[in-house]
């Protein structure tokens, strides 16, 4: 057991390290002149650029810069670009005024000893005023109510397989199989061995195809914890299976059948999250009352979706929700991951219309439970204009914890804040 636990910790820690920006010999610093990186409409942002090597500021060195509306990881029109030479260890770039709510990015690049180093800073203009570009279909509720009715006709047929090699003296761990519409949902259940009644946390996954290990520490602290995969395949297979699927049959799954609302890939996924809640309610030891859902990126999206679809959810905590305001690029600003509607393949009327039934913004409109949210201005995968589009339409109690510098990753402090919030809500 100690060997297995150590392996899991190593894998999780390795993933965490990959997610963090690695330290480089040369650091390019782009600093805005507002400490909170936030401006009013009509203000001009000014950026100070510095370059450090071995923590020593460099001088008399040329940098290249660009200023443009936040493009995510795609391309939007560049407002200003050029070169500057650092004098007295810095240079300043003043952007033109921003005339509407949104985000502006300044990128600086320098070449040192033949290698390029680059960094960017993204600032917000009245982000609390950002409105979504997507719209709500008139039959949105009817469409998803029909889907839930179809799901209710499918027996859950839960199959739990004890995984003794993962169990501890305090926690039992099970691989779980559930029947879903058009296939299965698989996950890892961790639950306290001690007899009692416990609140539950549903963990919904970020994008990709991978195995899952469950939240053993969470169960040891007195929670029933259920971590699901979304692809209808067991979540305890060898990594090579998931690698092959990611490069093959499931490559680009996020846009599968996007022109057919009844068969779009995420229909089965969203309803599968509801099925996961069905399962939690059946677990021996669940207190019958308290369920939270949480995740980041695609998991942040699924957290909002699940809370919007299922009134059995009591709390949600989401990092940088993906799939939010996907039509953004059609309106000159970055759309949410997977950042589509940028080419002839996706810019088709039927795909645009179908996307509205799956856009997180439209689920956020129906969330009624308290939510905890966190992201950064520099996120280029789930651009902040897209996440604010969902956040700003929420009418339920909500709190946003900004960590402006973060890209598509989190600081340990963010994870700790989320954990404390969930524990406080579920064990009050």
């Amino acid at each position: 057991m100690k060997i297995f636990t150590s392996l899991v910790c190593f894998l999780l820690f390795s993933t965490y390290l990959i997610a963090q920006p690695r330290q480089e010999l040369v650091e390019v610093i782009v600093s805005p002149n507002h400490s909170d990186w936030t401006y009013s409409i009509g203000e001009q942002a000014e950026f100070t650029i510095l370059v450090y090597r071995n923590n020593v500021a460099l001088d008399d060195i040329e940098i290249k810069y660009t200023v443009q509306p936040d493009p995510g990881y795609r391309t939007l029109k560049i407002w200003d670009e050029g070169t500057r030479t650092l004098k007295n260890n810095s240079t300043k770039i003043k952007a033109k005024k921003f005339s509407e709510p949104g985000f502006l990015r300044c990128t600086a690049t320098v070449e040192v000893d033949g290698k390029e180093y680059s960094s960017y800073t993204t600032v917000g203009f009245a982000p609390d005023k950002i409105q979504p570009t997507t719209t709500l279909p008139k039959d949105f509720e009817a469409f998803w109510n029909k889907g839930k009715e179809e799901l209710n006709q499918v027996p859950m047929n839960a199959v739990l397989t004890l995984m003794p090699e993962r169990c501890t003296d305090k926690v039992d761990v099970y691989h779980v199989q559930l029947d879903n519409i058009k296939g299965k949902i698989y996950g890892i259940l961790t639950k306290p061995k001690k007899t009692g009644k416990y609140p539950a946390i549903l963990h919904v996954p970020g994008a990709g195809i991978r195995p899952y290990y469950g939240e053993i520490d969470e169960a040891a602290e007195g929670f029933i914890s259920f971590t699901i995969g979304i692809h209808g395949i067991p979540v305890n297979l060898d990594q090579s299976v998931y690698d092959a699927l990611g490069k093959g049959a499931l490559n680009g799954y996020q846009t599968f059948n996007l022109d057919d609302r009844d068969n779009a890939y995420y229909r089965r996924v969203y309803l599968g999250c509801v099925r996961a809640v069905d399962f939690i309610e059946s677990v021996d030891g669940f207190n019958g009352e308290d369920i939270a859902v949480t995740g980041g990126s695609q998991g942040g999206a699924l957290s909002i979706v699940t809370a919007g679809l299922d009134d059995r959810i009591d709390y949600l905590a989401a990092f940088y929700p993906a799939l939010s305001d996907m039509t953004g690029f059609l309106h000159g600003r970055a759309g949410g991951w997977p950042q589509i509607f940028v080419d002839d393949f996706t810019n088709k009327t039927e795909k645009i219309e179908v996307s509205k039934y799956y856009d997180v913004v439209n689920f956020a409109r129906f969330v009624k439970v308290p939510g905890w949210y966190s992201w950064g201005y520099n996120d280029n995968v789930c651009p902040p204009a897209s996440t604010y589009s969902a956040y700003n339409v929420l009418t339920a109690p909500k709190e946003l914890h900004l960590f402006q510098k973060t890209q598509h990753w989190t600081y340990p402090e963010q994870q700790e804040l989320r954990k404390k919030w969930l524990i406080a809500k579920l064990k009050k």
Side-chain angles (χ1 to χ4, degrees):
M1 168 48 59
K2 289 183 178 179
I3 294 175
F4 174 78
T5 302
S6 298
L7 175 60
V8 172
C9 290
F10 171 76
L11 290 171
L12 292 176
F13 184 63
S14 298
T15 301
Y16 173 79
L17 285 177
I18 292 171
Q20 300 296 304
R22 66 186 181 91
Q23 188 72 40
E24 292 189 305
L25 174 64
V26 175
E27 295 178 88
V28 180
I29 307 295
V30 183
S31 297
N33 60 330
H34 282 199
S35 60
D36 63 357
W37 297 32
T38 306
Y39 299 76
S40 299
I41 294 172
E43 285 190 296
Q44 284 183 286
E46 185 175 69
F47 302 91
T48 300
I49 299 172
L50 306 96
V51 179
Y52 290 88
R53 178 173 177 167
N54 296 325
N55 288 345
V56 176
L58 301 184
D59 199 22
D60 197 31
I61 186 171
E62 186 177 85
I63 61 99
K64 299 177 182 177
Y65 73 90
T66 61
V67 177
Q68 64 184 135
D70 174 19
Y73 56 70
R74 300 292 189 177
T75 301
L76 287 174
K77 183 179 180 180
I78 292 174
W79 282 7
D80 182 25
E81 61 182 326
T83 60
R84 294 283 181 87
T85 299
L86 301 187
K87 296 297 182 183
N88 297 319
N89 307 120
S90 70
T91 190
K92 295 183 184 294
I93 306 295
K94 180 171 283 190
K96 69 179 183 180
K97 292 181 180 181
F98 214 84
S99 60
E100 59 186 21
F103 286 85
L104 183 72
R105 180 185 296 177
C106 178
T107 303
T109 304
V110 64
E111 183 176 309
V112 176
D113 295 336
K115 182 178 179 180
E116 278 196 348
Y117 299 87
S118 184
S119 181
Y120 65 83
T121 287
T122 310
V123 297
F125 291 81
D128 59 325
K129 300 295 192 297
I130 289 174
Q131 294 300 308
T133 62
T134 193
T135 56
L136 181 70
K138 291 182 179 180
D139 62 346
F140 181 86
E141 288 184 274
F143 174 76
W144 285 107
N145 285 337
K146 180 182 177 183
K148 288 188 288 184
E149 289 170 5
E150 289 180 22
L151 179 65
N152 286 336
Q153 302 306 309
V154 178
M156 185 163 57
N157 294 327
V159 178
L160 281 70
T161 304
L162 186 68
M163 308 178 79
E165 73 281 5
R166 299 193 187 184
C167 297
T168 71
D169 59 336
K170 295 181 179 180
V171 176
D172 282 329
V173 183
Y174 299 86
H175 185 263
V176 178
Q177 172 187 298
L178 310 171
D179 283 355
N180 187 22
I181 58 165
K182 297 185 178 179
K184 311 285 185 183
I185 280 285
Y186 294 87
I188 301 293
L189 171 70
T190 63
K191 56 179 292 191
K193 284 186 174 181
K194 184 178 179 181
T195 301
K197 295 296 183 181
Y198 301 99
I201 302 177
L202 172 61
H203 290 266
V204 282
I209 305 98
R210 64 182 72 83
Y212 295 95
Y213 299 92
E215 299 290 334
I216 294 174
D217 290 345
E218 201 167 82
E221 293 181 26
F223 296 94
I224 287 172
S225 179
F226 189 37
T227 302
I228 64 169
I230 63 166
H231 299 297
I233 54 176
V235 294
N236 61 343
L237 305 177
D238 187 83
Q239 180 65 47
S240 62
V241 176
Y242 307 105
D243 292 342
L245 287 168
K247 295 175 182 177
L250 291 179
N251 185 23
Y253 68 85
Q254 56 270 17
T255 58
F256 287 179
N257 296 329
L258 189 57
D259 53 358
D260 181 351
R261 72 172 188 172
D262 293 316
N263 291 293
Y265 194 83
Y266 278 109
R267 181 174 186 270
R268 180 183 55 78
V269 174
Y270 290 3
L271 292 173
C273 292
V274 175
R275 176 52 27 115
V277 180
D278 293 339
F279 171 69
I280 287 174
E281 290 224 314
S282 76
V283 173
D284 183 38
F286 171 55
N287 69 10
E289 295 181 0
D290 305 300
I291 307 177
V293 60
T294 187
S297 194
Q298 177 185 264
L302 295 178
S303 297
I304 295 173
V305 167
T306 307
L309 280 177
D310 197 322
D311 60 12
R312 293 172 294 180
I313 295 295
D314 299 291
Y315 309 101
L316 77 93
F319 289 117
Y320 33 72
L323 299 158
S324 298
D325 203 43
M326 290 183 279
T327 51
F329 282 103
L330 297 173
H331 299 266
R333 75 182 194 209
W337 181 89
Q339 297 194 28
I340 51 179
F341 305 127
V342 294
D343 53 37
D344 290 340
F345 178 73
T346 52
N347 289 1
K348 293 181 170 61
T349 300
E350 59 271 24
K351 293 183 178 183
I352 293 167
E353 291 305 310
V354 168
S355 78
K356 297 176 182 180
Y357 291 89
Y358 294 91
D359 199 299
V360 167
V361 165
N362 289 331
F363 291 91
R365 302 180 195 275
F366 297 95
V367 170
K368 297 181 176 62
V369 298
W372 183 99
Y373 305 85
S374 186
W375 55 73
Y377 283 4
N378 274 343
D379 195 327
N380 67 336
V381 177
C382 297
S386 70
T387 50
Y388 268 103
S389 292
Y391 185 80
N392 289 345
V393 302
L394 286 162
T395 57
K398 59 186 178 181
E399 53 187 84
L400 176 59
H401 297 263
L402 284 175
F403 286 73
Q404 286 89 338
K405 184 181 176 182
T406 56
Q407 298 178 17
H408 203 58
W409 45 266
T410 58
Y411 287 116
E413 290 86 346
Q414 286 171 274
Q415 297 288 343
E416 188 62 28
L417 282 173
R418 174 179 66 165
K419 179 180 178 180
K420 287 181 178 179
W421 188 87
L422 286 170
I423 290 175
K425 291 296 185 183
L426 290 169
K427 289 196 170 183
K428 63 181 181 180

PDB file of all heavy atoms in Angstrom, residues 293-307:
ATOM      1  N   VAL A 293     -19.813  19.678  -6.231  1.00  0.00           N
ATOM      2  CA  VAL A 293     -19.148  19.255  -7.464  1.00  0.00           C
ATOM      3  C   VAL A 293     -18.008  20.211  -7.735  1.00  0.00           C
ATOM      4  O   VAL A 293     -18.121  21.424  -7.514  1.00  0.00           O
ATOM      5  CB  VAL A 293     -20.140  19.207  -8.654  1.00  0.00           C
ATOM      6  CG1 VAL A 293     -20.762  20.566  -8.926  1.00  0.00           C
ATOM      7  CG2 VAL A 293     -19.468  18.654  -9.903  1.00  0.00           C
ATOM      8  N   THR A 294     -16.879  19.667  -8.205  1.00  0.00           N
ATOM      9  CA  THR A 294     -15.706  20.523  -8.410  1.00  0.00           C
ATOM     10  C   THR A 294     -14.818  19.987  -9.517  1.00  0.00           C
ATOM     11  O   THR A 294     -14.797  18.781  -9.798  1.00  0.00           O
ATOM     12  CB  THR A 294     -14.900  20.653  -7.098  1.00  0.00           C
ATOM     13  OG1 THR A 294     -13.862  21.620  -7.277  1.00  0.00           O
ATOM     14  CG2 THR A 294     -14.276  19.332  -6.671  1.00  0.00           C
ATOM     15  N   GLY A 295     -14.079  20.916 -10.151  1.00  0.00           N
ATOM     16  CA  GLY A 295     -13.140  20.553 -11.199  1.00  0.00           C
ATOM     17  C   GLY A 295     -12.545  21.799 -11.816  1.00  0.00           C
ATOM     18  O   GLY A 295     -12.931  22.927 -11.488  1.00  0.00           O
ATOM     19  N   GLY A 296     -11.598  21.600 -12.717  1.00  0.00           N
ATOM     20  CA  GLY A 296     -10.948  22.709 -13.387  1.00  0.00           C
ATOM     21  C   GLY A 296     -10.931  22.522 -14.889  1.00  0.00           C
ATOM     22  O   GLY A 296     -10.882  21.398 -15.388  1.00  0.00           O
ATOM     23  N   SER A 297     -11.010  23.631 -15.627  1.00  0.00           N
ATOM     24  CA  SER A 297     -10.996  23.628 -17.085  1.00  0.00           C
ATOM     25  C   SER A 297     -12.251  22.909 -17.596  1.00  0.00           C
ATOM     26  O   SER A 297     -13.365  23.356 -17.328  1.00  0.00           O
ATOM     27  CB  SER A 297      -9.707  22.985 -17.599  1.00  0.00           C
ATOM     28  OG  SER A 297      -9.527  23.248 -18.969  1.00  0.00           O
ATOM     29  N   GLN A 298     -12.111  21.796 -18.317  1.00  0.00           N
ATOM     30  CA  GLN A 298     -13.305  21.040 -18.688  1.00  0.00           C
ATOM     31  C   GLN A 298     -14.069  20.649 -17.428  1.00  0.00           C
ATOM     32  O   GLN A 298     -15.303  20.651 -17.406  1.00  0.00           O
ATOM     33  CB  GLN A 298     -12.911  19.787 -19.477  1.00  0.00           C
ATOM     34  CG  GLN A 298     -14.086  18.894 -19.836  1.00  0.00           C
ATOM     35  CD  GLN A 298     -13.634  17.611 -20.495  1.00  0.00           C
ATOM     36  OE1 GLN A 298     -13.612  17.509 -21.714  1.00  0.00           O
ATOM     37  NE2 GLN A 298     -13.246  16.633 -19.688  1.00  0.00           N
ATOM     38  N   GLY A 299     -13.329  20.339 -16.342  1.00  0.00           N
ATOM     39  CA  GLY A 299     -13.976  20.022 -15.076  1.00  0.00           C
ATOM     40  C   GLY A 299     -14.678  21.219 -14.461  1.00  0.00           C
ATOM     41  O   GLY A 299     -15.706  21.065 -13.789  1.00  0.00           O
ATOM     42  N   GLY A 300     -14.132  22.422 -14.662  1.00  0.00           N
ATOM     43  CA  GLY A 300     -14.837  23.627 -14.217  1.00  0.00           C
ATOM     44  C   GLY A 300     -16.129  23.799 -14.975  1.00  0.00           C
ATOM     45  O   GLY A 300     -17.170  24.181 -14.408  1.00  0.00           O
ATOM     46  N   ALA A 301     -16.083  23.509 -16.281  1.00  0.00           N
ATOM     47  CA  ALA A 301     -17.291  23.559 -17.098  1.00  0.00           C
ATOM     48  C   ALA A 301     -18.319  22.556 -16.599  1.00  0.00           C
ATOM     49  O   ALA A 301     -19.499  22.886 -16.400  1.00  0.00           O
ATOM     50  CB  ALA A 301     -16.940  23.287 -18.558  1.00  0.00           C
ATOM     51  N   LEU A 302     -17.875  21.315 -16.381  1.00  0.00           N
ATOM     52  CA  LEU A 302     -18.800  20.263 -15.958  1.00  0.00           C
ATOM     53  C   LEU A 302     -19.364  20.533 -14.568  1.00  0.00           C
ATOM     54  O   LEU A 302     -20.481  20.102 -14.255  1.00  0.00           O
ATOM     55  CB  LEU A 302     -18.097  18.907 -16.000  1.00  0.00           C
ATOM     56  CG  LEU A 302     -17.661  18.427 -17.390  1.00  0.00           C
ATOM     57  CD1 LEU A 302     -16.927  17.093 -17.300  1.00  0.00           C
ATOM     58  CD2 LEU A 302     -18.841  18.334 -18.348  1.00  0.00           C
ATOM     59  N   SER A 303     -18.623  21.243 -13.737  1.00  0.00           N
ATOM     60  CA  SER A 303     -19.147  21.617 -12.414  1.00  0.00           C
ATOM     61  C   SER A 303     -20.356  22.530 -12.567  1.00  0.00           C
ATOM     62  O   SER A 303     -21.395  22.334 -11.921  1.00  0.00           O
ATOM     63  CB  SER A 303     -18.057  22.311 -11.591  1.00  0.00           C
ATOM     64  OG  SER A 303     -16.965  21.456 -11.339  1.00  0.00           O
ATOM     65  N   ILE A 304     -20.225  23.544 -13.419  1.00  0.00           N
ATOM     66  CA  ILE A 304     -21.335  24.465 -13.646  1.00  0.00           C
ATOM     67  C   ILE A 304     -22.487  23.756 -14.348  1.00  0.00           C
ATOM     68  O   ILE A 304     -23.663  23.941 -13.999  1.00  0.00           O
ATOM     69  CB  ILE A 304     -20.860  25.684 -14.456  1.00  0.00           C
ATOM     70  CG1 ILE A 304     -19.838  26.502 -13.639  1.00  0.00           C
ATOM     71  CG2 ILE A 304     -22.037  26.563 -14.862  1.00  0.00           C
ATOM     72  CD1 ILE A 304     -19.177  27.617 -14.406  1.00  0.00           C
ATOM     73  N   VAL A 305     -22.159  22.927 -15.329  1.00  0.00           N
ATOM     74  CA  VAL A 305     -23.197  22.195 -16.055  1.00  0.00           C
ATOM     75  C   VAL A 305     -23.993  21.307 -15.105  1.00  0.00           C
ATOM     76  O   VAL A 305     -25.234  21.286 -15.137  1.00  0.00           O
ATOM     77  CB  VAL A 305     -22.566  21.359 -17.184  1.00  0.00           C
ATOM     78  CG1 VAL A 305     -23.572  20.362 -17.748  1.00  0.00           C
ATOM     79  CG2 VAL A 305     -22.051  22.267 -18.296  1.00  0.00           C
ATOM     80  N   THR A 306     -23.289  20.576 -14.258  1.00  0.00           N
ATOM     81  CA  THR A 306     -23.968  19.653 -13.350  1.00  0.00           C
ATOM     82  C   THR A 306     -24.861  20.404 -12.380  1.00  0.00           C
ATOM     83  O   THR A 306     -26.012  20.010 -12.125  1.00  0.00           O
ATOM     84  CB  THR A 306     -22.942  18.807 -12.574  1.00  0.00           C
ATOM     85  OG1 THR A 306     -22.043  18.175 -13.502  1.00  0.00           O
ATOM     86  CG2 THR A 306     -23.628  17.735 -11.749  1.00  0.00           C
ATOM     87  N   ALA A 307     -24.357  21.509 -11.839  1.00  0.00           N
ATOM     88  CA  ALA A 307     -25.172  22.311 -10.924  1.00  0.00           C
ATOM     89  C   ALA A 307     -26.369  22.924 -11.636  1.00  0.00           C
ATOM     90  O   ALA A 307     -27.444  23.088 -11.052  1.00  0.00           O
ATOM     91  CB  ALA A 307     -24.313  23.401 -10.284  1.00  0.00           C
TER      92      ALA A 307
END
